[in-house]
Amino acid sequence: MGGGGQQTEQGEPGGGKAAGVYTWEEVQKHSSKNDQWLVVDRKVYNITQWAKRHPGGSRIISHYAGEDATEAFAAFHPDLRFVQKFLTPLLVGELAATEPSQDGKKNSAIIQDFDDLRVQAEKEGLFRAEPLFFCLHLGHILLLEALAWLMVSNWGTSWTLTLLCAVMLATAQSQAGWLQHDFGHLSVFKKSKWNHLVHKFVIGHLKGASANWWNHRHFQHHAKPNTFRKDPDIYMLDIFVLGKTQPVEYGIKKIKYMPYNYQHHYFHLVAPPLLIPVFYNFNIMKTMVTRRDWVDLAWATTYYLRYFYCYIPLFGLLGSLGLMFFVRFLESHWFVWVTQMNHLPMEIEHERHQDWLTMQLQSTCNIEQSFFNDWFSGHLNFQIEHHLFPRMPRHNYHLVAQRVRELCEKHGIPYQMKTLWRGMVDVVRSLKSSGDLWLDAYLHK
């Protein structure tokens, strides 16, 4: 082993008997699919075999192979001592004393200042949830669903009442989407098992979706936001080109799966109306069946049984299916605009190996606070704070926001805040800009 001292008993995958010291150069060699090491608090771990059993999915932990994962480790795990029990058998050594604690060009001062802020927020109780907040949120979802059914069952299924019923159900579905997001991030209960259980209830019984599908997909997005090949939220099936780099790459290679210079137009016909009712619904069902996730499938089945029990007597089978699709159609518009206005106009690039604060701020922006914006977006108008502290209950984002902004100012990191309207407009503007870059490269490079 060059430059990193001596190693005893080079650990097999998943072995924990090694006591070597390593340089970053040596750690970074272990970043392939079949050979993965990472660093947490200067300790080097071989996660090659453990990745397959990782509760959050193999991909998210593999995204940090060959890197320092300390900040991500602290961000995602509420009980670090409990998780340490799983890491200990994977230990193969530590970084050499001459090596910095962080890899690449990461700024140690930013990392330290952000860690101090996170520790202070924990001391102030900002990671403790208010049960009443989430009870009221669940209550208003159940009330909307009940009122929608009572309305059409008692007053009839005229077009006007059916439309109003669809709007109420779409509102309930959207708000249930924000609520399952809370439990999925382990931000409600102190014990993870209760968060997981209620998450399955909300996303399964109230929405007909899969908790495991959501976990494995969404945490990748948080771990490496707006990073090609690592963030599934920017995997566009070649329907769109995003950011400033991908359009030029496609243009130079003369890749033209779609007329990308018009993507800001056909976006309205593809993404908002079809993401949930077509792509997500198909993908969720396929994932549960192919992975034999019978528990999540059972939870999702209870949603469909309840829905058809309530609405087939009123609309018939085909009418109930049509109403369900229309509800998903409305919800999809809501979901796409809220989630994309925080990320799509921001930097979208290949892996940059940045510190947590810089990475999240370059890929995320906020929308102005108001009672409506908070409710409409599930507090994801505080997307910056949510990405920095994914386990923090959303009702506390505003309490830490000013200190986040001050930290960004100290280190010269832009902290972007927009109006709701500008956030939506910027989605279209960014698509047009990327499309223009593609066309220029396609014709002239």
Side-chain angles (χ1 to χ4, degrees):
M1 302 298 295
Q6 298 298 315
Q7 177 190 5
T8 62
E9 293 189 48
Q10 170 79 20
E12 293 83 6
K17 297 182 179 180
V21 289
Y22 303 95
T23 64
W24 276 113
E25 182 180 0
E26 290 166 335
V27 172
Q28 289 162 358
K29 292 177 181 177
H30 300 272
S31 58
S32 65
K33 183 178 181 180
N34 298 317
D35 180 18
Q36 300 179 346
W37 290 10
L38 56 71
V39 175
V40 176
D41 289 326
R42 298 188 63 84
K43 302 294 185 181
V44 182
Y45 301 95
N46 183 342
I47 61 164
T48 307
Q49 297 301 322
W50 166 247
K52 301 173 185 177
R53 305 192 303 273
H54 183 240
S58 61
R59 291 184 179 179
I60 179 175
I61 194 170
S62 297
H63 291 337
Y64 277 89
E67 298 182 35
D68 177 38
T70 304
E71 291 188 291
F73 183 77
F76 293 129
H77 300 105
D79 189 344
L80 299 182
R81 286 178 295 182
F82 174 76
V83 180
Q84 192 65 44
K85 294 190 297 185
F86 296 93
L87 280 179
T88 300
L90 311 178
L91 183 68
V92 294
E94 60 184 20
L95 292 175
T98 55
E99 291 292 300
S101 296
Q102 65 284 336
D103 57 308
K105 299 179 180 179
K106 295 178 182 177
N107 189 314
S108 59
I110 293 178
I111 292 174
Q112 184 60 56
D113 284 352
F114 177 71
D115 186 61
D116 291 342
L117 175 58
R118 179 182 56 80
V119 171
Q120 184 61 33
E122 289 181 342
K123 289 181 179 178
E124 293 177 11
L126 298 185
F127 285 83
R128 288 198 296 267
E130 290 291 342
L132 181 61
F133 174 90
F134 294 102
C135 287
L136 291 174
H137 194 83
L138 175 60
H140 101 290
I141 293 168
L142 298 177
L143 180 63
L144 281 168
E145 293 219 351
L147 290 176
W149 179 78
L150 287 170
M151 180 178 64
V152 291
S153 62
N154 286 289
W155 297 342
T157 56
S158 67
W159 283 105
T160 301
L161 290 178
T162 299
L163 177 61
L164 183 56
C165 173
V167 170
M168 294 171 70
L169 289 176
T171 302
Q173 284 294 298
S174 295
Q175 292 300 322
W178 308 144
L179 185 61
Q180 69 82 21
H181 180 263
D182 297 317
F183 290 103
H185 275 292
L186 313 180
S187 63
V188 181
F189 295 107
K190 289 182 179 180
K191 291 190 175 294
S192 295
K193 66 178 181 180
W194 287 108
N195 284 299
H196 290 310
L197 178 60
V198 181
H199 186 215
K200 287 187 181 294
F201 167 76
V202 177
I203 196 172
H205 182 68
L206 296 186
K207 291 189 61 62
S210 164
N212 288 333
W213 171 86
W214 183 89
N215 283 334
H216 293 176
R217 179 185 179 92
H218 189 67
F219 283 114
Q220 290 185 73
H221 161 70
H222 271 270
K224 295 287 184 178
N226 284 11
T227 301
F228 289 119
R229 298 182 177 274
K230 296 187 176 182
D231 180 358
D233 284 5
I234 59 171
Y235 177 54
M236 296 294 177
L237 299 171
D238 292 320
I239 297 174
F240 305 101
V241 288
L242 305 177
K244 296 179 180 179
T245 299
Q246 187 187 49
V248 176
E249 291 176 346
Y250 273 44
I252 291 174
K253 295 177 181 178
K254 309 306 176 188
I255 296 175
K256 187 182 180 182
Y257 295 111
M258 297 288 287
Y260 298 120
N261 50 312
Y262 293 109
Q263 66 178 3
H264 59 295
H265 294 306
Y266 65 73
F267 167 82
H268 301 280
L269 303 175
V270 177
L274 301 180
L275 182 66
I276 289 180
V278 177
F279 178 73
Y280 273 6
N281 268 0
F282 172 78
N283 193 253
I284 289 169
M285 290 299 172
K286 176 185 175 183
T287 300
M288 289 191 292
V289 172
T290 56
R291 294 182 180 176
R292 299 183 179 181
D293 192 348
W294 308 129
V295 173
D296 277 11
L297 185 60
W299 276 108
T301 300
T302 66
Y303 163 80
Y304 289 101
L305 290 174
R306 174 175 58 87
Y307 173 83
F308 287 121
Y309 178 81
C310 290
Y311 288 98
I312 283 181
L314 301 173
F315 293 96
L317 178 60
L318 292 180
S320 297
L321 288 170
L323 176 62
M324 177 185 290
F325 185 88
F326 186 57
V327 169
R328 299 293 197 202
F329 169 85
L330 295 176
E331 178 198 1
S332 189
H333 281 80
W334 191 329
F335 175 81
V336 167
W337 287 107
V338 168
T339 57
Q340 296 310 306
M341 64 186 177
N342 295 118
H343 292 297
L344 207 62
M346 305 301 290
E347 289 190 21
I348 303 176
E349 269 294 349
H350 297 290
E351 177 61 76
R352 291 158 289 184
H353 301 290
Q354 296 169 307
D355 60 82
W356 188 256
L357 182 70
T358 303
M359 176 178 66
Q360 303 296 349
L361 266 292
Q362 289 187 354
S363 59
T364 308
C365 67
N366 277 6
I367 302 299
E368 290 179 347
Q369 183 185 21
S370 69
F371 178 81
F372 175 79
N373 286 353
D374 291 352
W375 174 83
F376 181 72
S377 68
H379 287 83
L380 295 182
N381 49 328
F382 287 97
Q383 190 76 223
I384 290 173
E385 287 69 31
H386 170 57
H387 265 255
L388 292 177
F389 309 103
R391 293 183 292 104
M392 182 178 288
R394 55 164 138 149
H395 52 69
N396 288 335
Y397 293 156
H398 71 284
L399 298 176
V400 77
Q402 182 57 36
R403 280 176 280 181
V404 170
R405 175 172 281 188
E406 291 171 356
L407 181 59
C408 291
E409 290 177 356
K410 175 181 177 180
H411 292 285
I413 302 173
Y415 181 107
Q416 291 197 35
M417 175 82 73
K418 303 177 181 179
T419 64
L420 181 64
W421 174 250
R422 186 191 160 195
M424 294 181 176
V425 169
D426 280 353
V427 170
V428 180
R429 286 176 178 168
S430 66
L431 288 169
K432 183 179 187 307
S433 175
S434 297
D436 290 343
L437 287 172
W438 169 82
L439 183 63
D440 178 68
Y442 187 85
L443 294 177
H444 306 298
K445 295 182 181 180

